[in-house]
């Protein structure tokens, strides 16, 4: 019985490494490494990838260039002669040392790194015309790539939330991109810098005009992408402004997002963030009377209450209360007059009465006597 013909096998395509702007062997030494380790290294975008060999697909390590600070040429400690193959990459949180295969390789790596970080081809390196042409091509690719993506320092926060993030986390950067309050496709740039010893937070509007972003200043500047906007502020301040990169989720830092129609609540502030209260003044001796400071009322006590008028006096309680004063004597109860009553009882001065009570009693007695006299006259006429 003939066996069914099996379909021909289709060879699987071999997996290859993603294309890099530049790649070669580099020896790397991190802060925790005891010695240099050799990697096949590739640069793509703002990331340096380290592979075990040029045939591997998955990188062993990655290095993010968004926290770039500077590049330095540095010979190993204790070495009297620098062969020109060492350089250091200084990031915001670490310093990585590299050893290239030659002086030409070192200069090329420095040139490609500076091209993608600063978005310009460096002119102060020892490079050949062919190397400069390669870097100009990389610059075009990187500008096109960034035009399609949102910068990492763009956060969907309000103006107040942006100011809070910049003030609370200065180690994460001092330049933040956020949506503009005018809506549409406009954005705003929030920065925090120290001028004359005083930190200042400034906000800049960036208007979308067609495919360009125009920074609204005295001399407006047009940029091709949001990343170019960020690079403008970084380069024109000589890297004094650093894009803000928060390690954790900013929504967790600021708290839950309030509903769209409700007021935005500020992030909770711990007791450690509150300044200490000034000490209360030392109270005088117990024999003296002094005013007790009024404590702050709780929220439930003053919500939905009318505001006290400035002209309305506020009574403060003394610390040592005197004995309550004696209650004033009640006025005497005047009984209803009888037909044959004696008015002398009403005019009798009660013991311990005050002058006001005595005057009132005298007047009541006179009225009662007058009524009694009229009643007797009416009865005499009836007889």
């Amino acid at each position: 019985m003939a066996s069914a013909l099996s379909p021909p096998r289709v060879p699987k395509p071999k997996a290859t490494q993603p294309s890099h702007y530049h790649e070669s062997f580099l020896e790397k030494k991190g802060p925790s490494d005891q010695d240099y380790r050799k990697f096949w290294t590739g640069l793509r975008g703002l990331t340096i990838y380290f592979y075990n060999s040029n045939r591997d697909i998955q990188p062993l390590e990655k290095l993010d260039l968004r926290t770039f600070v500077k590049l330095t040429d540095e010979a190993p400690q204790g070495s009297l002669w620098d062969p020109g193959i060492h350089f250091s990459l200084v990031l915001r949180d670490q310093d990585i040392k590299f050893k290239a295969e030659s002086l030409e390789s070192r200069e090329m790596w420095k040139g490609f790194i500076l091209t993608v970080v600063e978005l310009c081809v460096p002119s102060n390196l020892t490079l050949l015309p062919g190397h400069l042409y390669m870097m100009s091509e990389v610059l075009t690719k990187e500008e096109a790539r960034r035009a399609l993506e949102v910068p990492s320092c763009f956060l969907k926060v309000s103006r107040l939330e942006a100011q809070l993030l910049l003030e609370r986390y200065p180690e994460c950067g001092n330049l933040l991109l956020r949506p503009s309050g005018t809506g549409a496709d406009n954005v705003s740039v929030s920065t925090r810098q120290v001028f004359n010893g005083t930190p200042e937070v400034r906000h800049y509007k960036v208007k979308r005009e067609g495919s360009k972003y125009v920074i609204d200043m005295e001399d407006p500047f047009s940029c091709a992408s949001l990343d170019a906007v960020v690079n403008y502020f970084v380069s024109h301040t000589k890297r004094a402004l650093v894009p803000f990169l928060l390690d954790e989720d900013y929504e967790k830092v600021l708290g839950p997002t309030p509903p769209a129609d409700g007021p935005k609540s500020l992030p909770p502030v711990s007791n450690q963030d509150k300044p200490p209260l000034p000490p209360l003044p030392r109270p005088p001796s117990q024999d003296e009377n002094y005013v007790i400071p009024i404590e702050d009322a709780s929220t439930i006590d003053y919500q939905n209450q009318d505001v006290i008028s400035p002209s309305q006096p506020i009574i403060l309680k003394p610390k040592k209360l005197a004995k309550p004063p004696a209650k004033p004597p009640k006025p005497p109860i005047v009984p209803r007059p009888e037909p044959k009553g004696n008015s002398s009882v009403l005019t009798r001065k009660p013991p311990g009465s005050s002058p006001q009570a005595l005057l009132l009693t005298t007047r009541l007695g006179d009225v009662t006597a007058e009524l009694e006299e009229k009643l007797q006259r009416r009865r005499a006429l009836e007889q």
Side-chain angles (χ1 to χ4, degrees), residues 17-36:
Q17 289 183 356
S19 60
H20 300 104
Y21 294 159
H22 180 64
E23 55 186 8
S24 70
F25 281 106
L26 269 183
E27 295 186 41
K28 167 180 168 292
K29 181 180 180 182
S32 59
D33 297 333
Q34 298 293 333
D35 202 357
Y36 286 91

Side-chain angles (χ1 to χ4, degrees), residues 16-18 40 51-60:
T16 58
Q17 289 183 356
W40 178 257
Y51 304 88
N52 190 34
S53 69
N54 57 359
R55 293 185 298 271
D56 291 347
I57 301 174
Q58 296 296 329
L60 300 177

Side-chain angles (χ1 to χ4, degrees), residues 170-186:
E171 70 279 0
C172 296
N174 55 0
L175 184 150
L176 188 147
L177 204 62
R178 59 180 176 81
S180 176
T182 58
D185 294 332
N186 300 334

Side-chain angles (χ1 to χ4, degrees), residues 326-370:
K327 297 182 179 180
K330 296 182 180 180
I333 300 176
V334 181
R336 296 180 61 184
E338 297 292 336
K340 295 182 180 180
N342 188 2
S343 61
S344 62
V345 177
L346 299 175
T347 59
R348 184 183 303 172
K349 181 180 179 181
S353 300
S354 61
Q356 293 82 356
L358 179 60
L359 179 59
L360 179 61
T361 305
T362 304
R363 290 180 179 178
L364 290 176
D366 295 340
V367 174
T368 304
E370 184 178 356

Side-chain angles (χ1 to χ4, degrees), residues 37-98:
R37 294 178 58 191
K38 192 172 185 179
F39 295 96
W40 178 257
T41 311
L43 172 66
R44 185 173 72 252
L46 286 173
T47 307
I48 300 179
Y49 299 87
F50 300 94
Y51 304 88
N52 190 34
S53 69
N54 57 359
R55 293 185 298 271
D56 291 347
I57 301 174
Q58 296 296 329
L60 300 177
E61 299 179 20
K62 296 180 183 180
L63 202 58
D64 193 350
L65 295 178
R66 292 179 297 177
T67 58
F68 174 86
V69 177
K70 62 180 178 178
L71 285 172
T72 60
D73 297 336
E74 189 174 300
Q77 294 183 359
S79 176
L80 300 178
W81 177 72
D82 182 12
I85 59 176
H86 297 89
F87 69 98
S88 295
L89 174 60
V90 181
L91 302 179
R92 194 184 306 167
D93 54 349
Q94 57 180 330
D95 187 354
I96 315 266
K97 300 183 183 301
F98 291 100

